[in-house]
Amino acid sequence: MNILILGSGGREHALAWKTAQSPRVDKLYIAPGNAGTAQTGTNVNLAVNDFEKIGDFAVENRVDMIVVGPEDPLVKGIYDFFRQTTRLRHIHIIGPSKQGAQLEGSKDFAKAFMKRNNIPTAAYFPVTADTLEQGLAFLETQKPPYVLKADGLAAGKGVLIINNIEEAQNELRLMLEGKFGDASKKVVIEEYLSGIELSAFVVTDGVSYKMLPEAKDYKRIGEGDAGPNTGGMGAVSPVPFAGADFMKKVEDRIIRPTIEGIRQEKIDYRGFIFFGLMNCKGDPYVIEYNVRLGDPESEVILPRLRSDIVDLYAAVAGKNLHNVTVTIDPRAVTTVMLASGGYPGSYEKGKEITGLDKTDGSIIFHAGTKSADGKVLTNGGRVMAVSSVGDSFREALAVSNKNAAVIQFDKKYYRKDIGFDL
Ligand code: AMP
Ligand code: GLY
């Protein structure tokens, strides 16, 4: 089978690494990929949202299946584009339809879906310019802090958490006026949930589902969870505070009703679901849905997956996932993300990365890297994820931290305290 993976981050390198282990794969392509994916398969210079060109490439190279890494092409409808184009119809897309992708692409759609399906989540109120007055009044009924979310995709920046009511009301106006462009033409105001966050993952064919390992990521740039949000600076799996009792509640109250809702509402969904959860005193609530795997969560959950991932893709595409057994490695996996100094603000690119050959015992997943003249250079804010397996998360972290120190590039930054709170 020939498989194309779309995307260029650590998640896509982890997907490529896992996919390449399957004996069912003939050719593996990654578009656009990075210096790491180039060693796992063949990089192809295609933009993830250029569906026409992706289609041309897929036909010319007899691609059987496309695994979509990031949310953007899913929300823009790559699944529907392939289904509706005669020459592309036979190519399987691992990812939801445009309608299914609304679970991530519109916070209002996701909240309404949860409400209809009795899935525990924060109370909410959707607001547009026409209903501003009601929105301002709803804020008055809430206790601080106030949570304001751009309805659409805003590259992870569309959520504001504000303590002061006047400031929240002012920000609501600014968002509706286009602070996050079209993404905030609609704003969802949410009740604030306090607790501790974690993420659960499933793969689904829209009828049945299989659990993948859960994970916790560390979103803040600074140690002790200080400073601005990033895409994620490290992750651990399993999550020590998510015991069997808690995960059973997650499955019973959240995952099963979500899949049942997708089935009943006839949403075509063949891909991954990432449940962003809050553990509020032992009860799980959904903070958000993502219609893809996470980054850096993929770099800890895929190394724990023992099953052949291509068997999973094929079962998802063929809608016979109920016939598949998924086995998970019980050991812990951790990842530590190496970032360019300055990230998530401005940073420099093109720094030579050395010491990769001196690491020992970790799997190095490239994120923002490229190769030039036989060298590996930095090419993004998050540069590479250092993943390690251990009998406990502490053992795994010791290896990740040791190798994070060995890899060198100018202005390298990483958090040395991943797992500090566990
Ligand atoms: P989201 O983009 O929806 O994941 O939100 C970004 C971050 O904001 C989450 O990871 C949470 O830390 C926080 N957050 C979002 N919604 C809420 C909420 N209702 N209560 C408390 N924190 C929230
Ligand atoms: N690490 C969070 C995400 O992938 O959205």
Side-chain angles (χ1 to χ4, degrees), residues 327-347:
T327 36
I328 302 297
D329 187 333
R331 291 175 300 168
V333 179
T334 59
T335 201
V336 170
M337 187 66 78
L338 307 183
S340 299
Y343 172 80
S346 61
Y347 55 84

mmCIF file of all heavy atoms in Angstrom, residues 327-347:
data_model
loop_
_atom_site.group_PDB
_atom_site.id
_atom_site.type_symbol
_atom_site.label_atom_id
_atom_site.label_comp_id
_atom_site.label_asym_id
_atom_site.label_seq_id
_atom_site.Cartn_x
_atom_site.Cartn_y
_atom_site.Cartn_z
ATOM 1 N N THR A 327 -3.388 -3.184 20.832
ATOM 2 C CA THR A 327 -2.577 -3.457 22.031
ATOM 3 C C THR A 327 -1.652 -2.284 22.304
ATOM 4 O O THR A 327 -1.094 -1.672 21.397
ATOM 5 C CB THR A 327 -1.747 -4.755 21.916
ATOM 6 O OG1 THR A 327 -1.312 -4.888 20.584
ATOM 7 C CG2 THR A 327 -2.520 -5.965 22.332
ATOM 8 N N ILE A 328 -1.552 -2.008 23.607
ATOM 9 C CA ILE A 328 -0.817 -0.836 24.081
ATOM 10 C C ILE A 328 0.307 -1.305 24.990
ATOM 11 O O ILE A 328 0.110 -2.187 25.829
ATOM 12 C CB ILE A 328 -1.780 0.089 24.880
ATOM 13 C CG1 ILE A 328 -2.990 0.524 24.027
ATOM 14 C CG2 ILE A 328 -1.046 1.293 25.467
ATOM 15 C CD1 ILE A 328 -2.672 1.359 22.820
ATOM 16 N N ASP A 329 1.465 -0.705 24.842
ATOM 17 C CA ASP A 329 2.605 -0.980 25.723
ATOM 18 C C ASP A 329 2.309 -0.361 27.090
ATOM 19 O O ASP A 329 2.031 0.843 27.175
ATOM 20 C CB ASP A 329 3.850 -0.335 25.081
ATOM 21 C CG ASP A 329 5.140 -0.696 25.797
ATOM 22 O OD1 ASP A 329 5.104 -0.992 27.010
ATOM 23 O OD2 ASP A 329 6.202 -0.658 25.139
ATOM 24 N N PRO A 330 2.343 -1.150 28.171
ATOM 25 C CA PRO A 330 2.013 -0.577 29.486
ATOM 26 C C PRO A 330 3.084 0.366 30.025
ATOM 27 O O PRO A 330 2.834 1.113 30.968
ATOM 28 C CB PRO A 330 1.889 -1.814 30.387
ATOM 29 C CG PRO A 330 2.711 -2.873 29.717
ATOM 30 C CD PRO A 330 2.642 -2.593 28.242
ATOM 31 N N ARG A 331 4.264 0.356 29.429
ATOM 32 C CA ARG A 331 5.336 1.205 29.952
ATOM 33 C C ARG A 331 5.057 2.691 29.691
ATOM 34 O O ARG A 331 4.178 3.045 28.905
ATOM 35 C CB ARG A 331 6.678 0.810 29.329
ATOM 36 C CG ARG A 331 7.159 -0.550 29.812
ATOM 37 C CD ARG A 331 8.431 -0.959 29.086
ATOM 38 N NE ARG A 331 8.203 -1.051 27.647
ATOM 39 C CZ ARG A 331 9.172 -1.165 26.750
ATOM 40 N NH1 ARG A 331 10.435 -1.202 27.144
ATOM 41 N NH2 ARG A 331 8.896 -1.248 25.462
ATOM 42 N N ALA A 332 5.830 3.549 30.357
ATOM 43 C CA ALA A 332 5.648 4.993 30.219
ATOM 44 C C ALA A 332 6.491 5.522 29.068
ATOM 45 O O ALA A 332 7.581 5.010 28.793
ATOM 46 C CB ALA A 332 6.065 5.691 31.511
ATOM 47 N N VAL A 333 5.967 6.555 28.403
ATOM 48 C CA VAL A 333 6.748 7.291 27.409
ATOM 49 C C VAL A 333 6.639 8.779 27.744
ATOM 50 O O VAL A 333 5.555 9.268 28.095
ATOM 51 C CB VAL A 333 6.273 7.022 25.969
ATOM 52 C CG1 VAL A 333 7.104 7.822 24.962
ATOM 53 C CG2 VAL A 333 6.355 5.532 25.625
ATOM 54 N N THR A 334 7.777 9.461 27.675
ATOM 55 C CA THR A 334 7.789 10.912 27.908
ATOM 56 C C THR A 334 8.439 11.570 26.707
ATOM 57 O O THR A 334 9.215 10.938 25.983
ATOM 58 C CB THR A 334 8.641 11.263 29.139
ATOM 59 O OG1 THR A 334 9.983 10.789 28.920
ATOM 60 C CG2 THR A 334 8.085 10.628 30.399
ATOM 61 N N THR A 335 8.116 12.859 26.505
ATOM 62 C CA THR A 335 8.850 13.594 25.482
ATOM 63 C C THR A 335 9.190 14.975 26.007
ATOM 64 O O THR A 335 8.424 15.569 26.774
ATOM 65 C CB THR A 335 8.091 13.646 24.140
ATOM 66 O OG1 THR A 335 9.031 13.920 23.094
ATOM 67 C CG2 THR A 335 7.002 14.713 24.109
ATOM 68 N N VAL A 336 10.364 15.461 25.620
ATOM 69 C CA VAL A 336 10.815 16.808 25.975
ATOM 70 C C VAL A 336 11.068 17.538 24.666
ATOM 71 O O VAL A 336 11.787 17.037 23.800
ATOM 72 C CB VAL A 336 12.101 16.741 26.836
ATOM 73 C CG1 VAL A 336 12.709 18.131 27.013
ATOM 74 C CG2 VAL A 336 11.801 16.102 28.194
ATOM 75 N N MET A 337 10.413 18.704 24.506
ATOM 76 C CA MET A 337 10.504 19.439 23.247
ATOM 77 C C MET A 337 11.653 20.445 23.302
ATOM 78 O O MET A 337 11.722 21.240 24.242
ATOM 79 C CB MET A 337 9.171 20.173 23.029
ATOM 80 C CG MET A 337 9.029 20.851 21.706
ATOM 81 S SD MET A 337 8.985 19.756 20.274
ATOM 82 C CE MET A 337 7.292 19.150 20.347
ATOM 83 N N LEU A 338 12.515 20.401 22.309
ATOM 84 C CA LEU A 338 13.576 21.409 22.181
ATOM 85 C C LEU A 338 13.029 22.536 21.301
ATOM 86 O O LEU A 338 12.512 22.268 20.214
ATOM 87 C CB LEU A 338 14.816 20.807 21.519
ATOM 88 C CG LEU A 338 15.367 19.529 22.156
ATOM 89 C CD1 LEU A 338 16.639 19.099 21.427
ATOM 90 C CD2 LEU A 338 15.652 19.746 23.642
ATOM 91 N N ALA A 339 13.141 23.779 21.798
ATOM 92 C CA ALA A 339 12.577 24.914 21.061
ATOM 93 C C ALA A 339 13.668 25.916 20.728
ATOM 94 O O ALA A 339 14.744 25.907 21.334
ATOM 95 C CB ALA A 339 11.483 25.577 21.900
ATOM 96 N N SER A 340 13.360 26.786 19.769
ATOM 97 C CA SER A 340 14.265 27.883 19.409
ATOM 98 C C SER A 340 14.093 28.988 20.444
ATOM 99 O O SER A 340 12.950 29.362 20.761
ATOM 100 C CB SER A 340 13.885 28.441 18.039
ATOM 101 O OG SER A 340 14.001 27.445 17.050
ATOM 102 N N GLY A 341 15.206 29.546 20.953
ATOM 103 C CA GLY A 341 15.137 30.630 21.942
ATOM 104 C C GLY A 341 14.255 31.759 21.427
ATOM 105 O O GLY A 341 14.380 32.170 20.277
ATOM 106 N N GLY A 342 13.334 32.249 22.269
ATOM 107 C CA GLY A 342 12.418 33.316 21.855
ATOM 108 C C GLY A 342 11.003 32.811 21.623
ATOM 109 O O GLY A 342 10.041 33.543 21.820
ATOM 110 N N TYR A 343 10.884 31.532 21.184
ATOM 111 C CA TYR A 343 9.567 30.933 20.968
ATOM 112 C C TYR A 343 8.784 30.961 22.282
ATOM 113 O O TYR A 343 9.402 30.738 23.318
ATOM 114 C CB TYR A 343 9.758 29.483 20.481
ATOM 115 C CG TYR A 343 8.492 28.667 20.405
ATOM 116 C CD1 TYR A 343 7.621 28.805 19.327
ATOM 117 C CD2 TYR A 343 8.157 27.778 21.433
ATOM 118 C CE1 TYR A 343 6.440 28.069 19.276
ATOM 119 C CE2 TYR A 343 6.986 27.038 21.377
ATOM 120 C CZ TYR A 343 6.133 27.194 20.299
ATOM 121 O OH TYR A 343 4.973 26.470 20.250
ATOM 122 N N PRO A 344 7.483 31.229 22.328
ATOM 123 C CA PRO A 344 6.538 31.388 21.218
ATOM 124 C C PRO A 344 6.481 32.807 20.640
ATOM 125 O O PRO A 344 5.612 33.084 19.824
ATOM 126 C CB PRO A 344 5.196 31.017 21.853
ATOM 127 C CG PRO A 344 5.325 31.448 23.277
ATOM 128 C CD PRO A 344 6.772 31.262 23.633
ATOM 129 N N GLY A 345 7.402 33.682 21.050
ATOM 130 C CA GLY A 345 7.548 34.980 20.388
ATOM 131 C C GLY A 345 8.436 34.797 19.166
ATOM 132 O O GLY A 345 8.484 33.709 18.593
ATOM 133 N N SER A 346 9.171 35.854 18.788
ATOM 134 C CA SER A 346 9.982 35.722 17.570
ATOM 135 C C SER A 346 11.282 34.978 17.881
ATOM 136 O O SER A 346 11.783 35.014 19.009
ATOM 137 C CB SER A 346 10.264 37.103 16.992
ATOM 138 O OG SER A 346 10.975 37.847 17.956
ATOM 139 N N TYR A 347 11.765 34.267 16.898
ATOM 140 C CA TYR A 347 12.973 33.446 17.064
ATOM 141 C C TYR A 347 13.655 33.354 15.712
ATOM 142 O O TYR A 347 13.061 33.657 14.675
ATOM 143 C CB TYR A 347 12.595 32.037 17.574
ATOM 144 C CG TYR A 347 11.577 31.350 16.701
ATOM 145 C CD1 TYR A 347 11.973 30.646 15.555
ATOM 146 C CD2 TYR A 347 10.212 31.448 16.975
ATOM 147 C CE1 TYR A 347 11.039 30.056 14.726
ATOM 148 C CE2 TYR A 347 9.278 30.861 16.137
ATOM 149 C CZ TYR A 347 9.695 30.167 15.027
ATOM 150 O OH TYR A 347 8.772 29.598 14.195
#
